[in-house]
């Protein structure tokens, strides 16, 4: 089964931002596709499935292929005859805004390349060329006064099938500072101030995944006070990341060796965020690097 999105519209109206959003949603994306190749793409067995047996495709067909753009109507009819569902997304903006964007970027309009047309003339010609396609569009998104973050949110609302909160993929991982900093993290929390199970011989060679270690770390009064403040902080900042349009967030929890304290707190953090409705993946970066004979937490 194929979920096909056809992105088109005025040059400068936000197609690049739209494609980035579709990629983040798990679509296989192709920019500037000649319409004649669309059926071959749909039939291709090389397109990976996104969810179950669903293949999610997003293609841009626009005036850059103006000589073949007229073929798109025939291709759309063939898609309908074959029972292949698709949705057309038409990105638009006022002529004044498009002109201002071209002035700001100092780029040439695709229709003006190799001609004597001004940008204004090219915009007028393109709008006329795309008028029928605009009328056939399932979704018309006007980006005149819409910031990129708002465009991303609109596309997510239309195609993700998830709420904005569900669309934020959260990765929580534990790590050990002695094995290197968490360079890819958006948020890093250092829990080396918590009591260390390493100094108990019975727990030294266990990990934060073991109930004995986890109970030792979590049940301490220092940890309970920390978790209360930590969870309040997460409740405060997480909605801001959602509203900002972020699609993935990495939270790293560090202790000395990444074996005891950080593991237990990372697990607790992931559990808390899941209870708030976020999609969370919890991993432990440095557990496999620990010395089985002597492990520092």
């Amino acid at each position: 089964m194929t979920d096909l999105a056809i992105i088109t519209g005025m040059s400068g109206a936000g197609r690049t931002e739209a494609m980035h959003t579709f990629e983040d949603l798990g679509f296989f994306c192709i920019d500037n596709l000649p319409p004649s190749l669309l059926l071959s793409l749909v039939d291709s067995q090389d397109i990976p499935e996104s969810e179950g047996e669903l293949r999610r495709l997003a293609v841009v067909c626009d005036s850059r292929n103006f000589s073949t753009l007229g073929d798109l109507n025939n291709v759309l009819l063939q898609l309908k005859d074959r029972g292949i569902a698709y949705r057309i997304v038409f990105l638009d903006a006022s002529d004044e805004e498009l002109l201002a964007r071209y002035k700001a970027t100092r780029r040439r309009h695709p229709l003006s390349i190799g001609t004597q047309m001004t940008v204004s003339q090219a915009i007028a010609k393109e709008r006329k060329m795309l008028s029928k396609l605009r009328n056939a569009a399932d979704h018309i998104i006007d980006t005149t006064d819409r910031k990129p973050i708002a465009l991303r949110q609109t596309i997510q609302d239309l195609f993700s099938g998830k709420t904005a909160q569900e669309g934020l993929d959260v990765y929580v991982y534990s790590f050990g500072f002695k094995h290197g900093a968490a360079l890819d993290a958006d948020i890093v929390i250092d829990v080396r101030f918590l009591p260390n199970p390493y100094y108990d011989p019975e727990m030294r060679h266990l990990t934060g995944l073991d109930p004995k270690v986890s109970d030792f770390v979590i049940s301490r009064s220092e940890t309970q006070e920390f978790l209360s403040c930590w969870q309040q902080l997460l409740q405060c900042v997480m909605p801001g990341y959602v509203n900002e349009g972020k699609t993935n967030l990495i939270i790293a929890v560090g202790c000395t060796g990444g074996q005891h304290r950080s593991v237990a707190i990372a697990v607790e953090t992931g559990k808390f965020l899941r209870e708030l409705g976020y999609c969370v993946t919890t991993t432990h970066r440095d557990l496999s690097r620990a010395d089985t004979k002597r492990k520092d937490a």
Side-chain angles (χ1 to χ4, degrees):
M1 184 176 178
T2 301
D3 183 12
L4 174 61
I6 300 172
I7 301 99
T8 188
M10 299 296 292
S11 301
R15 291 190 308 258
T16 300
E17 188 67 41
M19 287 295 282
H20 291 165
T21 305
F22 277 103
E23 287 178 348
D24 289 341
L25 292 177
F27 280 72
F28 184 88
C29 300
I30 297 182
D31 190 16
N32 198 17
L33 182 73
S36 59
L37 299 180
L38 184 52
L39 289 174
S40 297
L41 177 65
V42 171
D43 291 336
S44 173
Q45 300 300 313
D46 297 327
I47 308 301
E49 296 174 352
S50 302
E51 299 177 5
E53 298 181 354
L54 179 64
R55 300 191 312 162
R56 312 190 80 185
L57 307 178
V59 300
V60 174
C61 297
D62 54 44
S63 62
R64 286 173 292 178
N65 284 305
F66 63 89
S67 61
T68 61
L69 189 60
D71 298 337
L72 183 57
N73 289 329
N74 293 330
V75 173
L76 295 179
L77 289 175
Q78 293 180 60
L79 289 173
K80 285 184 178 180
D81 290 341
R82 294 171 55 177
I84 299 174
Y86 63 84
R87 284 187 281 175
I88 300 175
V89 178
F90 191 98
L91 299 172
D92 203 354
S94 69
D95 290 357
E96 294 76 16
E97 178 62 21
L98 293 174
L99 183 59
R101 292 175 186 177
Y102 272 104
K103 286 183 177 179
T105 61
R106 293 180 170 84
R107 296 197 63 192
R108 299 189 65 180
H109 191 285
L111 295 185
S112 69
I113 297 175
T115 73
Q116 299 299 315
M117 281 192 293
T118 64
V119 174
S120 295
Q121 291 171 334
I123 290 173
K125 180 177 180 180
E126 183 179 45
R127 191 171 294 283
K128 184 176 181 180
M129 287 174 55
L130 298 176
S131 60
K132 290 184 179 179
L133 197 53
R134 188 182 193 278
N135 292 335
D138 299 278
H139 309 289
I140 299 174
I141 304 177
D142 192 324
T143 67
T144 300
D145 300 311
R146 197 185 302 258
K147 294 181 179 179
I149 182 175
L151 174 58
R152 293 198 297 270
Q153 188 59 60
T154 299
I155 293 173
Q156 288 169 2
D157 291 343
L158 291 172
F159 288 89
S160 72
K162 301 178 180 178
T163 65
Q165 179 171 312
E166 293 170 338
L168 175 62
D169 291 324
V170 183
Y171 301 89
V172 179
Y173 72 81
S174 65
F175 74 99
F177 280 97
K178 76 174 187 178
H179 299 301
L183 300 178
D184 60 347
D186 300 290
I187 301 174
V188 178
I189 189 72
D190 182 352
V191 298
R192 287 177 290 186
F193 66 92
L194 295 176
N196 195 347
Y198 171 79
Y199 296 107
D200 185 329
E202 293 184 359
M203 293 186 285
R204 180 169 298 179
H205 303 303
L206 301 177
T207 76
L209 298 178
D210 291 285
K212 189 171 185 177
V213 174
S214 178
D215 291 344
F216 174 89
V217 174
I218 301 301
S219 64
R220 299 297 291 259
S221 60
E222 303 97 317
T223 306
Q224 288 298 308
E225 182 179 359
F226 159 71
L227 284 176
S228 176
C229 297
W230 173 229
Q231 291 169 356
Q232 287 183 44
L233 175 63
L234 290 173
Q235 286 180 307
C236 175
V237 302
M238 294 299 290
Y241 286 115
V242 172
N243 294 334
E244 190 267 338
K246 201 168 180 63
T247 56
N248 64 82
L249 178 74
I250 301 176
I251 301 174
V253 183
C255 64
T256 305
Q259 180 189 351
H260 294 120
R261 294 165 290 179
S262 62
V263 173
I265 298 301
V267 170
E268 199 69 15
T269 299
K271 178 182 176 181
F272 175 73
L273 291 174
R274 288 188 194 94
E275 292 174 350
L276 293 181
Y278 293 95
C279 178
V280 184
T281 300
T282 304
T283 60
H284 307 289
R285 192 190 75 179
D286 295 325
L287 276 187
S288 63
R289 302 176 62 175
D291 187 339
T292 58
K293 295 182 179 180
R294 183 181 185 278
K295 299 181 179 181
D296 296 328

